[in-house]
Amino acid sequence: MTTLPARARIVIIGGGVVGTSVAYHLTRGGEADVVLLEQGELSCGTTWHAAGLVGQLRATQSGTTLVQYSASLYEQLEDEVGLSSGFKRCGGVTVARTADRMEQLRRTAATAQAYDLECQLLTPEQARDHYPLLEIDDLVGGIWLPGDGTANPTDLTQALARGARMRGAKVAEHVRVTDILVAGGAVTGVRTDRGDIEADIVVNCAGQWAHHLAAKIGVAVPLHSAEHFYVVTDQIEGVRPDLPILRDPDGYTYFKEEVGGLVVGGFEPEAKPWVSPDQIPYPFEFQLLGEDWDHFAILMDSALERIPALREVGIRKFYNGPESFTPDNQFILGEAPAVRGFFVGAGFNSVGIASAGGAGRALAEWILEGEPTIDLLAVDIRRFAPFQNDVSYLRERVTEVLGLHYAVPWPNREYDTARPLRQSPVHDRLAQANAGFGSKMGWERANFFAPAGQDPAIEYAWGRQNWMPWSAAEQRACRKDVAIFDQTSFSKYVVHGVDAEAALQWICSNDVAVANDETVYTALLNERGGYESDLTVTRISADQYFLVASSATTERDQDWIRRHLPAGLDAQIRDVTSTMSVFGLMGPRSRELLSRVTDADLGDDAFPFGASHEVELAGATVRATRITYVGELGWELYVLNDNALAVYDALKVAGADLGIVDAGYYAIEAMRLEKGYRAFGRELTPEVDPVEAGLSFACKLSTPIDFLGRHAVEKAKTAGPSRRLVSFAIVPDSSDDADVMVWGGELLVRDGVAVGQATSGAWGATIGAGVGLAWVNAPDGVTADAAYVRSGDYTLDVGGRRVSARVTLGSLYDPSGEKLRPAEDVYD
C-alpha cells in the first residue's frame, strides 16, 4: 500500500486517462511534486470501457490541434515509457446516406484542408474499397481520414501513469477523496479515507464523480451520466487488424476492429440518463450496467443494414457503461472561478480517449503558466453559470445532447430541452409578436419574428432557411426606418471603488480615463496580446464604471477581471446582468422616435457617438448610450427590470407611424457582418491580437499608460501581422449562386490556394448576398499597404462548391461611415 504524503503541491483526483494525462504533462513540464489519487484501480471508472476511437478532425482548429497532439503522443509513448498505448493509425471512413449529410462531409473536407489535415471525398464505391464489408446501395458518398486511429484505453492509462511516475509523481490506488478542503476562497488540500493531504492545487479529473465532488465546495461542473452501449462480435471473415474505423452517422453507429470481430456502438437519438451525480454507487470499479437490448435495437438494426455480415455472427459481449455528458457536448477544462487553485478536467462526452492527450497537456500548461496557453474557449469551465449545475436541468439536457452526437450539425442548431430558464421582462410581448426564440446562457432570445399565422420554428438546412425572408425584412426596416431589439441578455457589470480607474486602465486596452457619461470600446487582453473579451466601458462617476459584454461571457469576464485587478487597489466588480433590461433602438429614425418619449437633447452636439446619459422615458430613469452594433444611428437603453415593460411599450407606441419593427439576433448578426464589426468567440479569441484583427485603434498605444498585453501588441505592430481579418461578400457567377448561404467555417481560396477560413457568415439583406468575415493568411506577412490581401481572385468553398467572393479590409456597408458621422469608429 502506497504511503500518502502529508503534503503535495498538486493533487489530482481520478486515475482515468484524463487524470493520468494531466499528471504525465505536469511532470513533463518540470513539476514533480504531484500526487494522483484513484478510488479504485487505474482506468476502473469510465476509461476502461471506452471504445478507444481517436478521430482527428474537430469543429475548431484548437480542438483539432488537441486531438492531433493526442495521436502523436500515443504513437511515441512506448518508446518513452516502455508500455504500449495500443495506438494504431488505421484511418477512418465516414459515410453519408443523405444529401444533407454529404453536404456536411464536403464542408468537413474543406475544414480539413484549412487545418492542413489529409481528407479525401469518396464515392460509395471508393468507400467500399476502404471498407470491404460495407453495404453501399443507399449511400451518397463519404470521406476518408487516413490519420484516424484507435487506442487501448487501459494500456494508454497505464503508459501515461508510468510516464508520470518516472518523473517523480506518486500514484496511489484505492484512496477515496471524500472532500475538497478550502479556506479563504482557495483550495488547501483534500480529505481522503486515509487522511488529509495539504495541497496548493487540486485537479478534479474524477469523471462522472466530478460534479458531486465539486458541488461540495460550491463549484459548478455541469455533467450528468448517460448509459452508453456497444457490443463486441465474434470473429468475422474479412475483418483484419488494419480495418479502418467506420462511422455511419445517419444510422447513429460506429464500427471498429477488435480481435477479428467488430465493436458496434453508437449514439441513439434519445439517450438514457443514468442516476444523478450524487447517487453513483460506491464502489463502482470495472462495472457495467444491465443489458438493454430494446434500447440498443435502433443501433443494431442500423448496423445490420450497413454491415450485412453481422447477420451471420454471434455477439461476444454487450457493454453498457455510463459516461458523463455536458449541456453543450463539449468537455470541461480549467480553473474554477469560485475557488482559486481548483482545476477541472471532466465531462468528455465519449471523446475522452481522443482528447485526453491534448486536454491533459492544455490543463497542465494552464496550471503551470497560470492561464491557458492556447484558445480553450469552447471547453473553458467559465462558459457555464451555476444554474446549469442543476441536476434536473442536466438530466433533461443530456438526453438530447448524446442524441445529437451523430445528428447533422446544423450551424444554428438550438437545443430544445431544459428550456425556458431565463426570460426578459418583455418576453411575453415578443412571444405575442411571433418570435422564434433561441437560447444563450439560459436566456430566451428572439432570433427573428415570423409573420402572423406562420410557425416560428426553424426549418434547418444548409442553404437559405425558412426564417431568412423574415430576418431580411427586419434588416431592411432597421436600415430604412427603425427597429427595436431586446438585448437584455447582455452581460452587465459595475466596477466601483476609489481605484476603479487605475484598475481598469491596467485591465483594458483602451483609455478609460474619460469624462463622466462617456463610453469607450475596449479589449481585455492576455499577456500574449490575445483577446479574453471585448466590451464597452461607460464612466458613471469618479469611482464607478458600467461595463457591457456579450451574453455568453458573464462568468468568464468577472473571473478574468477579479484575477487581474492589481493588488492593493480599491476596486470591486458587481454583476448586475439580471437586474437590468436592454433595448437596442437602431435605425435612421431612432432619434426621431426617441425624441417623442424624452425631453433630453439628442442632437449630435449634446449627444455625440459614445455619449451615455440618464434620461427620463415613460416615467423611468433610463441610461441611453449612443452606440451601434448594426452600423446605424442608434441607442442602447438600459433600464431596471421593474420599468422595462413600460419603456418597451412606450417605444412601440411612439414609433408606430415611423415603421418600427421588432427585430432579432439573426438580423443583428447579418448587419454587424455587413459593417465588419467583430465578435468575441468568433473573430476575437485568445490567439488573435488587435493588430491582425484591425482593432489596434482600441489600444492606448499613443499614451505612456501601461496595460495588460501592451508589450505583445507593440511587438505585433512592429513585426506586422501574418494574417488579416477581411470582410467578404459572395459575388454570384450565375443565378444558382444568388442564394448561396454562408454560416462561418467555409474555406477561403485566393488564386486557387487556400488562405483561411470564414469566421462568421450570414445573409446580408442590404448587400443582397452572403456576407461574412474571414482570415487571410499571407505567407510573407501583411505589408503596410496590405497589397497581398487586396489583390488576387477570391473564392469561397461552400459545401464543395466554389463561389466568387469580393474581399475588403473595410466595411461592405457604408464604408465611409456617413451613417454614423460625425463620430465614427474606423477599423485601421
Side-chain angles (χ1 to χ4, degrees), residues 415-464:
Y415 290 110
D416 296 322
T417 55
R419 294 174 59 188
L421 283 174
R422 309 169 81 182
Q423 298 178 348
S424 85
V426 299
H427 177 272
D428 288 348
R429 292 284 197 274
L430 305 184
Q432 290 167 11
N434 213 19
F437 288 101
S439 180
K440 179 76 74 172
M441 197 50 137
W443 289 100
E444 292 294 310
R445 313 194 311 173
N447 287 330
F448 54 83
F449 291 83
Q454 295 278 352
D455 183 358
I458 297 174
E459 295 174 8
Y460 294 109
W462 288 111
R464 299 188 69 184

Side-chain angles (χ1 to χ4, degrees), residues 65 67 87 117 132 171 272 353 373 416 434 480 551 554 603 630 634:
T65 300
V67 179
F87 180 75
L117 190 68
V171 177
K272 186 179 178 184
I353 303 303
T373 58
D416 296 322
N434 213 19
K480 177 177 177 291
S551 305
T554 310
V630 297

Side-chain angles (χ1 to χ4, degrees), residues 401-716:
V401 163
L402 186 149
L404 292 175
H405 204 88
Y406 273 177
V408 175
W410 304 117
N412 58 330
R413 183 78 184 233
E414 294 283 355
Y415 290 110
D416 296 322
T417 55
R419 294 174 59 188
L421 283 174
R422 309 169 81 182
Q423 298 178 348
S424 85
V426 299
H427 177 272
D428 288 348
R429 292 284 197 274
L430 305 184
Q432 290 167 11
N434 213 19
F437 288 101
S439 180
K440 179 76 74 172
M441 197 50 137
W443 289 100
E444 292 294 310
R445 313 194 311 173
N447 287 330
F448 54 83
F449 291 83
Q454 295 278 352
D455 183 358
I458 297 174
E459 295 174 8
Y460 294 109
W462 288 111
R464 299 188 69 184
Q465 298 182 0
N466 62 315
W467 51 266
M468 294 186 69
W470 312 332
S471 180
E474 295 165 23
Q475 296 174 48
R476 287 190 290 269
C478 185
R479 296 279 190 230
K480 177 177 177 291
D481 296 312
V482 62
I484 186 169
F485 302 87
D486 177 21
Q487 297 172 291
T488 298
S489 64
F490 275 174
S491 300
K492 302 172 281 288
Y493 329 111
V494 173
V495 172
H496 59 96
V498 173
D499 299 315
E501 178 186 305
L504 288 176
Q505 284 289 59
W506 167 248
I507 292 171
C508 296
S509 67
N510 212 342
D511 189 353
V512 299
V514 294
N516 292 350
D517 294 333
E518 188 173 336
T519 298
V520 295
Y521 167 74
T522 187
L524 305 185
L525 302 176
N526 55 43
E527 289 185 357
R528 304 185 308 281
Y531 280 83
E532 296 295 336
S533 186
D534 75 328
L535 38 76
T536 59
V537 176
T538 300
R539 186 164 207 158
I540 306 301
S541 65
D543 60 358
Q544 184 167 284
Y545 287 82
F546 180 54
L547 282 57
V548 180
S550 68
S551 305
T553 58
T554 310
E555 301 298 320
R556 196 174 190 282
D557 289 339
Q558 293 179 82
D559 181 65
W560 180 265
I561 291 170
R562 288 192 179 102
R563 289 178 186 274
H564 292 86
L565 288 172
L569 294 188
D570 175 18
Q572 301 83 42
I573 182 170
R574 184 173 77 254
D575 183 15
V576 296
T577 300
S578 295
T579 67
M580 304 182 75
S581 296
V582 186
F583 303 119
L585 192 69
M586 302 288 159
R589 306 188 79 174
S590 58
R591 179 186 279 120
E592 182 180 357
L593 192 162
L594 201 55
S595 68
R596 294 181 177 184
V597 292
T598 181
D599 293 331
D601 186 346
L602 304 175
D604 282 330
D605 291 338
F607 219 132
F609 189 89
S612 179
H613 298 296
E614 287 191 340
V615 302
E616 295 300 313
L617 195 166
T621 299
V622 175
R623 175 160 290 277
T625 301
R626 187 175 162 191
I627 200 166
T628 183
Y629 197 43
V630 297
E632 299 292 341
L633 172 71
W635 281 262
E636 288 176 0
L637 306 175
Y638 300 89
V639 55
L640 292 175
N641 287 340
D642 289 347
N643 304 119
L645 202 55
V647 168
Y648 171 84
D649 287 345
L651 292 168
K652 289 296 294 288
V653 170
D657 64 331
L658 300 179
I660 190 172
V661 301
D662 288 298
Y665 274 85
Y666 286 176
I668 293 174
E669 177 73 357
M671 288 187 287
R672 72 104 179 166
L673 290 174
E674 287 183 326
K675 189 60 181 168
Y677 290 148
R678 283 70 161 141
F680 180 70
R682 309 272 201 86
E683 290 74 43
L684 310 179
T685 74
E687 295 184 332
V688 171
D689 66 61
V691 177
E692 58 193 357
L695 297 176
S696 58
F697 72 88
C699 296
K700 45 182 175 267
L701 299 177
S702 62
T703 76
I705 304 167
D706 198 10
F707 61 89
L708 183 58
R710 175 169 184 149
H711 176 71
V713 176
E714 289 175 330
K715 185 177 179 181

Side-chain angles (χ1 to χ4, degrees), residues 5 25 28 52 149 207 285 511 608 620 784 792 810 817-818 823:
H25 287 96
R28 201 166 83 168
E285 304 168 24
D511 189 353
E818 292 293 330

